[in-house]
Every structure is written in structure tokens, then in C-alpha cells.
Amino acid sequence: MKVLVIGGGPAGSTAATAMAQSGLDVRLIESAHFPRYHVGESLTPSCRVVLDVIGMSKVIDDYGFVKKNGGVIHWDDDQWAFDWQAQSGVQSWQVDRSEFDMLLLEHARQNGVAVTTGVTGRSVKFADGRPVAVECSSEHGESFTLDDFDFLIDATGRNGLLSTRHFGNREPLSNLRNVGIWGYWTGARLLPETPTGGINIISSPEGWYWVIPMAGGRMSIGYVTTKDAFARDRSEHPSSDDLYRHLIAASPTVADLTAGAAFLGTTRVETDYSYIADQFCGPGYAIVGDAACFLDPLLSTGVHLALYSALTAAACVASMDRGEVSEAEALRFFEFAYRRAYMRLFALVSIMYERYLGKDGFFLTSDRLIGDEQAAQADEGVSSRSFAEIIGGLSDLREAANSSTRVITDQLRDEAVRVQLRAVRAPDSVGPDFTPVRGNPLSDAESADYRLVTSPHLGLERVRETPA
């Protein structure tokens, strides 16, 4: 089978590598030349698990990025730490995305993927419901068509070639319309209780801060707030740099962490409106990473969702190629697995933004989101165990590999609906439209027949035979 991947970020590179390692003929086009700057530096332990599969984690270990064991959250009146290394024996990393993404793309090339940079996919042509050609343009202005492929992976990030330009089916999530502003420092500190290499997340009355240790003694420090609060604050300051310095000084905790530190330069600003497409795949194509959905950066889930969806898509396509499952079965599993992962994280992020529940409320919600509330309460009372598993991306990988551990989708949906009902309180609101997050299909009965496996090769394994 020949596969065309559009986009060379973490999702595209990982999917391409995994498929090439499975014996598929893979071509990847990317509009940018790497290295190129990108935010999203704090990775979850699930990223290590995925990169282990494609033989990349040792490369990342040896490169010199900061190794991340966990983090500390100061949220309103509550404080707690999570340590994945202590709880699960898994580390992740704090990375410079320009270098991390370049390493992943080069790994794809080394594994036989035909990589071309400086090429942008402009539009997709369909025939009988399947993509059959991609209209492209080079950085020099030439236009040409790629049509020698059997399957298409859309990894075009927030540009969303299929979801925005072709289908127009990407829906924003009204309760997560935020803006981030950030910069880099030397000489800044972490909270004293932080696990080695960990992130700090510190709330404020109208948002929250991240503090991320980077290689070379640098620190990434950012602030996320609502669109309206940002517009108000921006109007009161002559420049983004002035606003950023004001926001750093406004938090006693962050001001203390940066006391005596040096700001390294340009302030960056980006809207991070959360969204989700109403379909992630169809005949002949799958949409991975930010091209399908994006979630507020509160829990650093962006690269997790990118790599998780990439590995799942690659497993589905590889099993299709070997004739182990039909295309319809494979795509149904991909949609099921990726949409559930997003739904669970959406519910947890949203409930943290509600502010009034406190950490016990977050932890109990986490228990419900992985179906472990009775065991957790019986064994040790309210604990952060489920919370740490979810934000580490480990629950998604576990459920993909073992259908017997999957919490019932209706329970996930009910929890997410409960969160959004509380979050939408406009006087003229008739209730939230939950369709974008709920999505379809989410059939437990059908998808329980399959699990994701990485040995003896990457693919889907049929758990029980379908009736003849």
C-alpha cells in the first residue's frame, strides 16, 4: 500500500515512520523547512511509550533535553505534585520543539520515508468518496498534483487541510476560548517541591501560568487567559512585552520564581481556541494530531494526542495492508480510540477551569473518567493516581491495548456532558451543543473486538472472531 502523509510535525513524522517500519511505501510532504519554531515543549510519559515503538526514545534521551519526572500544580487554594517516575517508572522530556520535531522528521527519512520539505498541500480531490489526488505548490510557486497513493494521512496541524478547507466540519468549544502569551528566561527557578525536571502550573484569578525548565538553563514561562481578559489587558499596555512583564509581576509566585532572572527577548502570543472535527477519518484517509482536534494547553496534551493518534492510525493502516482487518473496521477503531482520548481530556481540562471544585473534585472526576472510583476510594481514599494517569496519556494507551480496561463510553460522555452543562451559564443559553465532542461512532460493542498491539508487529489484533 502507498501512503501519502501531509505534514511533518510530530503526528505526521511518527505516523510515517511507524507505517514505513511496517513495510508500507510512505511519502511525506511538509511546507516548512526544519528546524522551525513551535510551542508545546512539555511532553507526557505516553510520548516515551510511542517513541519506544518507533525506536526513537533513546535518541531523545541522548540528545540533551531536560528529563521530566512530573510536576507541581498550585490551583487556587490547593497544591499537589505528581511524579510519573515514582508512580509508573516512566519519564518524559521538556524539549525545544524546533529540535525535537527535526529529530522525528529525520528519523522518518532514515526509516525509508520519502520526505520532501518546502511543499504545501493545497486541496484534495475525491472520487467516489475517497481522496485520489492532492494539489500541491512548491515554495518556488510551481503547482503540481500528487496522485500515486492508496491512503492519505492529514497531519496539517491547525490549518486542517481536510477538516477546514474540504469538509468545513471543525467546531470550536465555547468554554475554552483562550489566549497564551509567553517568553524565555535564564536564571529563573522552579517551585521547591517540583520533581526533577518537572513543570509548574500556577493558577491566577483569570487564568494560569506555566513554568517549564529547558536545556541550557533556560525557562519557558507563559500565561493563559480568556480571550476577553487578554483583549482588556492588552489595551492597557503599549506592547506585548509590556503586558507580559505586567502579568509576570502580577503573580506573587511567578514574580518570586523570576526574581533576579533575565528575560531573553521577544514575547510570543497565540490564540489556542479548542476545537474538534466531527469526523476523524473516512474511506481512504485519517486525520491525526491538531488537524483533527486541539485542546487547551493546561495539561500539556498536544504532543500526546499527536503521537497517540499517529500510532493508532499507523496500526490501523498496517493491519489493513496485511488484510487483518477491513478498512471499515480499522477506521472505526481509529475514530473510537482518538475521540475517546480527546473527550476524557476535555472533561478534565474543563472541570479544572470551573475552579470551585478543588483538587478532591478533580481527583474524583479523574477516577470516574477511567472507571476506577470505587477501587480508589476503597484502597486509599481520594488520590491523585487517576489524575496523573490521565494527564500522562497512559490511560489512553492502556485502553487501546486492552479492551477489558476501557471505561464505558457512555460514562465518559456523561461526565463530559456534566462538565459542559456547568460551564455554559449564559442567560440565553438553551444548553450546550455537545455534538462536536461526543461525535460518532463511539461504539463500545464494535470496538471491543480489537486492540492495538506492537508485537510481533504494529497493528490491530482481533480479540474475538466476528460471527460468520
Side-chain angles (χ1 to χ4, degrees), residues 197-215:
I199 187 174
N200 292 168
I201 296 172
I202 301 158
S203 71
S204 75
E206 293 186 305
W208 60 275
Y209 298 82
W210 76 71
V211 184
I212 298 172
M214 309 286 289

Side-chain angles (χ1 to χ4, degrees), residues 1 23 33 54 62 68 77 82 90 92 94 97 146 218 220 240 244 246 285 294 335 338 341 343 377 381 420 452:
M1 181 183 292
H33 292 288
I54 64 170
D62 294 343
K68 172 187 174 185
D77 296 328
F82 53 95
V90 182
S92 60
Q94 316 280 20
R97 282 288 304 276
L146 295 177
R218 293 166 297 130
S220 171
S240 295
Y244 178 67
H246 164 77
Y285 71 89
F294 176 78
E335 182 91 28
Y338 193 14
M343 182 189 300
Q377 293 181 56
Q420 192 157 332
L452 189 151

Side-chain angles (χ1 to χ4, degrees), residues 242-410:
D242 289 328
L243 171 58
Y244 178 67
R245 288 185 175 278
H246 164 77
L247 292 168
I248 294 295
S251 166
T253 301
V254 179
D256 180 64
L257 296 178
T258 56
F263 180 51
L264 291 178
T266 306
T267 298
R268 299 175 181 268
V269 178
E270 187 170 306
T271 58
D272 56 23
Y273 296 168
S274 299
Y275 57 78
I276 186 168
D278 67 13
Q279 65 187 71
F280 291 170
C281 57
Y285 71 89
I287 308 174
V288 297
D290 289 354
C293 53
F294 176 78
L295 187 59
D296 182 277
L298 174 58
L299 299 178
S300 303
T301 56
V303 180
H304 159 64
L305 289 171
L307 298 193
Y308 176 69
S309 62
L311 186 71
T312 306
C316 291
V317 175
S319 273
M320 288 162 45
D321 183 56
R322 293 190 294 264
E324 296 164 347
V325 296
S326 69
E327 182 177 78
E329 290 170 320
L331 295 182
R332 188 161 54 238
F333 181 86
F334 173 75
E335 182 91 28
F336 172 85
Y338 193 14
R339 195 169 293 274
R340 279 171 56 92
Y342 184 91
M343 182 189 300
R344 179 171 12 233
L345 291 165
F346 161 78
L348 190 53
V349 166
S350 296
I351 206 168
M352 288 189 69
Y353 271 112
E354 288 186 61
R355 314 303 293 246
Y356 62 83
L357 282 181
K359 68 177 182 180
D360 285 356
F362 305 151
F363 296 165
L364 289 171
T365 297
S366 300
D367 291 338
R368 291 192 294 269
L369 289 169
I370 65 170
D372 196 32
E373 67 271 25
Q374 292 180 344
Q377 293 181 56
D379 292 345
E380 56 197 44
V382 178
S383 107
S384 64
R385 180 179 59 190
S386 298
F387 178 89
E389 180 181 330
I390 292 172
I391 68 171
L394 300 173
S395 53
D396 298 326
L397 290 170
R398 172 178 51 77
E399 289 190 354
N402 185 350
S403 62
S404 69
T405 70
R406 295 173 195 158
V407 63
I408 297 171
T409 297
D410 282 346

